[in-house]
Amino acid sequence: MKKNILIVPGDGIGQEVTAVGKKVLDKIAEKYGHEFTYDEALIGHAAIEATGNPLPDESLEKMKQSDAVLFGAVGHPKYDNDPSAKVRPEQGLLKMRKELGLYANLRPIKLFDELLGASSIKPEILKGADILFFRELTGDIYFGEKGRKDNGDTAFDIAQYSRFEVERIARKAFEAAMTRGKKLCSVDKANVIETSRLWREVVQQVAKEYPEVTVEHQFVDATAMLLIKDPKRFDVVVTANLFGDILTDEASQIAGSMGMLASASIGDGTGVYEPIHGSAHDITGKGVANPMASVLSAALLLDISFGLKQESEDVINAVDQVLKAGFRTGDIADSSTPKDKILGTDAIGEEILKRL
Ligand code: IPM
Ligand code: MN
């Protein structure tokens, strides 16, 4: 198979972890006789520094032309404490999602058995949990009108959803539920928020097309509690952009660490694959970042964009083997991990490559 993959490392540890993800793709190409070619593009703070624009047209054009994008992270601490900054790295990410029509963000939450001890949640609560989140990615309060009034003393952000937007993400989630445990939990705040009432109405309607799927509706506050109390009760979860952002960071603890969680953003065109963790400037350049989320994102890319199931499973197995051999990065090590088994980004990447 011949494919053209765009590597978009972005900021912070994005550079370090996508380098490992790319090596894994290369190894897979070599092993299975595929021909992957690569190009790179700038986004985020790195793009602002180079061009003044967090998503230059050239990057967007390359994304549209490529068969899939392996993405790192965006963000820089210098903006976090400067609310007045007009140009921000995150704008690049949001524009990319909008322009590529990436309305469905899949975040699979599954714990590798070896990491039962890495989470702050009790092992007996976690064991067997397997959740697939569908976070809507191009609507909601993220993309509605925002601004200031009253001489800047009042701020507003409008949350907006159309029937069409809810319908298409709901359908994707139901389709996935049909291939899994046939259970779907739709999360909203329909007791208070109007967009949530439309959300619930539309999900109920789409549910009629999938009579085999058991549907429940939960409020977002209750869901935040249930995820920690009993994660095994969930199969597929579908929710709006902001709720999904928050709940999946929380749910990363079910997978042991943020450093393990991959995601796929899909729509009608090129798919984008990225870790759910951010740019992590506190550990940038130290060579200690966990590259497994990027490697597992590469696995999702192979499966979803290229339909290469065997290759994808191969990558996941290699990660599993490395964990079984006792190797850890700092974020997933615990007091029982011997010092010589705690590896940096490149070294654990090499262990993964060896097993491929
Ligand atoms: C994520 C991130 C982004 C988001 C930020 C960086 C804009 O937190 O992908 O989850 O809020 O969507
Ligand atoms: Mn987030």
Side-chain angles (χ1 to χ4, degrees):
M1 182 179 277
K2 269 192 183 178
K3 293 285 179 189
N4 172 21
I5 302 168
L6 186 68
I7 309 287
V8 185
D11 305 323
I13 60 166
Q15 302 278 345
E16 301 156 48
V17 299
T18 46
V20 178
K22 179 179 177 232
K23 278 189 196 160
V24 163
L25 287 169
D26 250 352
K27 189 82 196 173
I28 285 289
E30 182 194 319
K31 181 171 169 184
Y32 288 87
H34 300 303
E35 198 179 309
F36 295 162
T37 51
Y38 306 90
D39 196 357
E40 277 218 19
L42 289 170
I43 196 166
H45 179 248
I48 297 174
E49 292 284 279
T51 70
N53 182 347
L55 180 62
D57 289 344
E58 190 196 336
S59 295
L60 188 57
E61 213 34 58
K62 282 185 179 181
M63 288 168 180
K64 288 182 179 163
Q65 299 304 325
S66 70
D67 294 311
V69 175
L70 186 71
F71 193 93
V74 295
H76 193 278
K78 89 177 201 200
Y79 303 88
D80 294 343
N81 287 316
D82 178 11
S84 71
K86 288 270 177 293
V87 179
R88 316 180 67 86
E90 291 80 5
Q91 292 162 343
L93 178 62
L94 298 179
K95 185 171 172 200
M96 174 187 79
R97 289 173 178 170
K98 197 71 173 178
E99 293 280 336
L100 296 182
L102 302 169
Y103 64 85
N105 183 221
L106 282 66
R107 296 187 164 186
I109 314 277
K110 196 170 173 184
L111 182 73
F112 287 91
D113 277 344
E114 294 72 28
L115 295 183
L116 271 173
S119 172
S120 48
I121 307 173
K122 290 193 198 106
E124 62 268 29
I125 303 282
L126 289 180
K127 200 166 169 38
D130 179 356
I131 310 174
L132 178 57
F133 270 88
F134 277 80
R135 169 189 175 192
E136 200 289 330
L137 204 58
T138 52
D140 203 3
I141 196 163
Y142 271 68
F143 290 95
E145 193 194 339
K146 52 184 85 244
R148 296 282 180 112
K149 51 190 184 182
D150 305 334
N151 293 322
D153 290 335
T154 303
F156 61 90
D157 296 271
I158 295 188
Q160 186 168 307
Y161 267 122
S162 70
R163 185 173 293 279
F164 166 73
E165 288 172 311
V166 182
E167 227 174 82
R168 62 182 180 178
I169 182 81
R171 209 159 262 134
K172 280 256 188 279
F174 274 104
E175 290 294 339
M178 287 296 289
T179 69
R180 295 174 44 106
K182 298 198 167 77
K183 263 178 71 180
L184 183 124
C185 176
S186 172
V187 179
D188 61 33
K189 186 74 186 173
N191 50 346
V192 180
I193 297 173
E194 195 57 36
T195 45
S196 278
R197 285 192 273 269
L198 175 71
W199 183 279
R200 194 172 283 217
E201 185 186 313
V202 174
V203 173
Q204 284 170 349
Q205 219 155 42
V206 176
K208 291 185 189 141
E209 298 167 31
Y210 301 88
E212 283 176 58
V213 177
T214 309
V215 183
E216 68 165 343
H217 299 270
Q218 286 287 353
F219 294 136
V220 62
D221 48 352
T223 307
M225 178 272 292
L226 289 168
L227 275 171
I228 301 300
K229 186 179 174 215
D230 183 17
K232 283 193 277 272
R233 72 189 298 295
F234 295 103
D235 177 16
V236 176
V237 177
V238 63
T239 191
N241 202 345
L242 182 62
F243 297 157
D245 179 44
I246 299 166
L247 292 178
T248 53
D249 264 31
E250 184 193 356
S252 71
Q253 276 307 297
I254 298 166
S257 163
M258 285 263 267
M260 297 300 300
L261 276 204
S263 86
S265 301
I266 57 175
D268 306 316
T270 312
V272 175
Y273 299 83
E274 61 178 303
I276 87 154
H277 63 67
S279 48
H281 282 268
D282 52 333
I283 56 166
T284 297
K286 297 190 177 150
V288 299
N290 183 351
M292 292 190 208
S294 180
V295 170
L296 295 170
S297 296
L300 284 175
L301 182 157
L302 292 166
D303 178 5
I304 299 175
S305 274
F306 300 169
L308 300 173
K309 287 252 178 307
Q310 182 60 48
E311 286 85 337
S312 177
E313 271 166 32
D314 218 8
V315 173
I316 297 169
N317 278 335
V319 170
D320 199 28
Q321 291 307 317
V322 168
L323 295 172
K324 284 209 168 84
F327 295 112
R328 300 286 186 273
T329 42
D331 60 313
I332 49 172
D334 59 28
S335 51
S336 70
T337 314
K339 281 261 169 322
D340 64 332
K341 293 275 186 177
I342 303 180
L343 303 184
T345 312
D346 291 339
I348 208 149
E350 286 307 317
E351 291 301 327
I352 296 171
L353 291 171
K354 262 191 233 165
R355 285 160 181 84
L356 283 172

